[in-house]
Amino acid sequence: MNIILLSPNSITGNHARIDDKAAITHIRTVLGAGVDDILKVGCLHGLIGTATITQMDDDSIRLGGLSLDKSPPPKLNLTVILALPRPKVLRRLVMDMTAMGVNRIILINSYRTDKSYWGSPLLNKIDEYIIEGLQQGIDTMPPEIVMAKRFKPFVQDELPTIIGDAKALVAHPYADTSFGVAVQTGLPSVLIVGAEGGFIPYEIELLQSIGVQAVSLGSRILRTEAAVNALLGRWLD
Amino acid sequence: MNIILLSPNSITGNHARIDDKAAITHIRTVLGAGVDDILKVGCLHGLIGTATITQMDDDSIRLGGLSLDKSPPPKLNLTVILALPRPKVLRRLVMDMTAMGVNRIILINSYRTDKSYWGSPLLNKIDEYIIEGLQQGIDTMPPEIVMAKRFKPFVQDELPTIIGDAKALVAHPYADTSFGVAVQTGLPSVLIVGAEGGFIPYEIELLQSIGVQAVSLGSRILRTEAAVNALLGRWLD
């Protein structure tokens, strides 16, 4: 947590209250902060600033002198479309994509996505992963999250509007063009990554039919999580 | 496992034997392979090719028709120097760096590295993580691993020789130059990343005193694991 996020309704004037157990534990044990210490805070969907701890017990922390005066960093003009990965991997991926500033995350089904992943209780925790990512990346604005459980209708009916006139790339080990070459003419605004094992040829062809360009990441095959972060690295200033 | 690695001493002529439990489980359950199926294999430190399963039981798999004829992908001309992270994170980081083709991995101590990490039994499993990374990245050549438990002597006495005339960068949130700008004139051959929380000013100054350039990764702060993969993404073809 490089910033502590406050919910708008926990703020009254220049006072605020933190009830979240994870945040309280982090402030006590990792930051080692106590009464009179200043914390870096942000208001969810709002500004970033500081506040002073005025009171502290096991269940809540009271803040005073709250001053929120700084805008969160700009979001990337980037939608990441991801075949739903294993639930445990999803947590880290959503956290990292959020911390990096991805603007919209679309989770889709794919042939190689295990059907059971859609029933995982961890899928209901995405909002928590987003908060973790915002607190990691010093941001207050959650990315938009979309679930698209049906691949073909999503690609045919919704994806063309999302892409518009922009560049869209899908990572595919067997593509002729490499990612490095494709981004030389500009970064895409839509990036599509398959589950472990990648998309099947039918899925790649469907994506290509609506104008998505397939790009390889070289001869080495990466874990989905490593691949997404490696791709996002191009957006680092 | 995108390739099954064979140890040289498990190979006799065009026959080989797999005893590794993880590999056997992977072949049976993930690949769903059986007798007469062809596997993509590689010889550790050697060539890549294929072999046919001739016999299979719970404890071993016998291969025949072994043909090794392809060189592993070239390694990156890149040394990554990493402040020893949490042992669980280390596993994924070593796997990913290996899968990406990093040539040498140096684990150093730093002020913010928890001393207990050096005593973790997981540190003795680095060779396993490397094998996992090679099998993920379709490679047979392990990166060189160096442990440098003392920061100052390593930086002063050994790092200058490792860097030579090449470019060396250290990720540092407070640097004036950004990573994106620094790599416009070429990729570095040495990349240095701190533990969670980064290096302290003294450590950054010591690195700078021997010619390492500090670069920021933008206003957002990433998990070490995400940061390393995002940085390595620049080496994707």
Side-chain angles (χ1 to χ4, degrees):
Chain A
M1 292 188 195
N2 296 301
I3 187 173
I4 307 290
L5 276 185
L6 307 170
S7 74
N9 60 25
S10 75
I11 298 175
T12 315
N14 69 349
H15 291 269
R17 179 190 172 112
I18 300 170
D19 293 321
D20 179 63
K21 292 279 175 208
I24 294 170
T25 305
H26 180 84
I27 292 165
R28 298 177 85 102
T29 60
V30 181
L31 301 182
V35 169
D36 290 341
D37 283 335
I38 292 174
L39 295 180
K40 189 164 186 175
V41 297
C43 175
L44 188 62
H45 293 106
L47 298 172
I48 288 171
T50 55
T52 305
I53 298 176
T54 55
Q55 209 181 310
M56 203 167 183
D57 58 45
D58 285 353
D59 300 320
S60 83
I61 291 177
R62 306 280 184 146
L63 302 174
L66 176 65
S67 161
L68 298 168
D69 54 5
K70 201 168 154 252
S71 297
K75 282 258 170 300
L76 303 178
N77 173 27
L78 176 63
T79 294
V80 175
I81 301 177
L82 196 67
L84 186 66
R86 279 192 299 126
K88 270 181 73 171
V89 173
L90 180 69
R91 170 170 176 253
R92 290 192 298 264
L93 267 169
V94 168
M95 275 176 58
D96 290 340
M97 288 190 284
T98 301
M100 293 274 246
V102 170
N103 196 31
R104 178 163 44 187
I105 298 169
I106 302 177
L107 298 169
I108 54 166
N109 195 34
S110 75
Y111 185 81
R112 293 211 177 94
T113 296
D114 194 306
K115 292 281 174 290
S116 70
Y117 296 171
W118 289 103
S120 166
L122 294 181
L123 215 56
N124 296 322
K125 295 204 161 190
I126 286 189
D127 287 349
E128 288 175 33
Y129 307 157
I130 288 173
I131 298 293
E132 289 182 82
L134 292 173
Q135 296 188 128
Q136 171 71 44
I138 314 183
D139 194 357
T140 63
M141 304 295 291
E144 182 189 349
I145 296 282
V146 178
M147 304 272 187
K149 277 187 76 170
R150 297 173 63 216
F151 186 85
K152 192 179 171 190
F154 171 76
V155 172
Q156 289 187 322
D157 305 338
E158 298 181 52
L159 191 51
T161 312
I162 291 169
I163 296 174
D165 294 330
K167 186 191 285 198
L169 302 179
V170 56
H172 181 54
Y174 310 110
D176 294 328
T177 310
S178 75
F179 174 70
V181 168
V183 296
Q184 276 170 14
T185 53
L187 293 168
S189 60
V190 177
L191 196 55
I192 309 175
V193 180
E196 300 297 333
F199 290 109
I200 60 172
Y202 165 80
E203 292 167 331
I204 293 291
E205 284 159 24
L206 197 68
L207 289 167
Q208 285 174 322
S209 76
I210 62 148
V212 177
Q213 186 185 359
V215 293
S216 88
L217 308 184
S219 62
R220 296 165 175 279
I221 297 183
L222 305 178
R223 294 188 306 130
T224 303
E225 195 181 338
V228 170
N229 280 317
L231 290 165
L232 292 180
R234 292 282 165 160
W235 278 261
L236 290 178
D237 290 335
Chain B
M1 291 187 196
N2 296 300
I3 188 173
I4 306 291
L5 275 186
L6 307 170
S7 75
N9 60 25
S10 75
I11 299 175
T12 317
N14 69 348
H15 292 268
R17 178 190 173 113
I18 301 170
D19 293 320
D20 178 63
K21 292 280 176 208
I24 294 169
T25 305
H26 180 84
I27 292 165
R28 297 178 86 103
T29 60
V30 181
L31 302 182
V35 169
D36 290 342
D37 283 335
I38 292 173
L39 295 180
K40 188 163 186 176
V41 296
C43 174
L44 188 62
H45 292 105
L47 298 172
I48 288 171
T50 56
T52 306
I53 299 177
T54 55
Q55 209 182 308
M56 204 167 181
D57 58 44
D58 286 354
D59 300 320
S60 83
I61 292 177
R62 304 281 185 146
L63 303 173
L66 176 66
S67 161
L68 297 169
D69 54 5
K70 202 168 152 251
S71 297
K75 283 259 169 299
L76 303 178
N77 174 27
L78 176 63
T79 294
V80 175
I81 301 176
L82 196 67
L84 186 67
R86 279 192 298 126
K88 270 181 75 171
V89 173
L90 180 68
R91 171 171 174 252
R92 291 192 299 265
L93 267 170
V94 168
M95 275 176 59
D96 291 340
M97 288 191 284
T98 301
M100 292 275 245
V102 169
N103 197 30
R104 179 163 44 187
I105 299 168
I106 301 177
L107 299 169
I108 55 167
N109 194 34
S110 75
Y111 185 81
R112 293 210 178 96
T113 295
D114 193 305
K115 292 281 173 293
S116 70
Y117 296 170
W118 289 104
S120 166
L122 295 180
L123 216 55
N124 297 322
K125 295 204 163 190
I126 285 188
D127 286 349
E128 289 174 33
Y129 307 157
I130 288 173
I131 298 294
E132 289 182 80
L134 293 172
Q135 296 189 128
Q136 171 71 43
I138 314 183
D139 194 356
T140 63
M141 303 294 291
E144 182 189 350
I145 298 281
V146 178
M147 305 272 188
K149 279 187 74 170
R150 296 173 64 215
F151 185 85
K152 191 178 171 190
F154 171 76
V155 172
Q156 289 187 322
D157 305 338
E158 299 181 51
L159 192 51
T161 311
I162 291 169
I163 297 173
D165 293 330
K167 187 192 285 198
L169 303 179
V170 57
H172 181 54
Y174 309 109
D176 294 327
T177 310
S178 75
F179 174 68
V181 168
V183 295
Q184 277 171 15
T185 52
L187 293 168
S189 58
V190 176
L191 197 55
I192 309 175
V193 180
E196 301 297 332
F199 290 109
I200 59 170
Y202 165 80
E203 292 167 330
I204 293 290
E205 283 158 27
L206 197 67
L207 289 167
Q208 286 174 320
S209 76
I210 63 148
V212 177
Q213 187 186 358
V215 292
S216 88
L217 309 183
S219 62
R220 295 164 175 281
I221 296 183
L222 305 178
R223 294 188 305 131
T224 304
E225 197 181 337
V228 170
N229 281 317
L231 291 164
L232 292 181
R234 293 281 165 162
W235 278 260
L236 291 178
D237 288 336

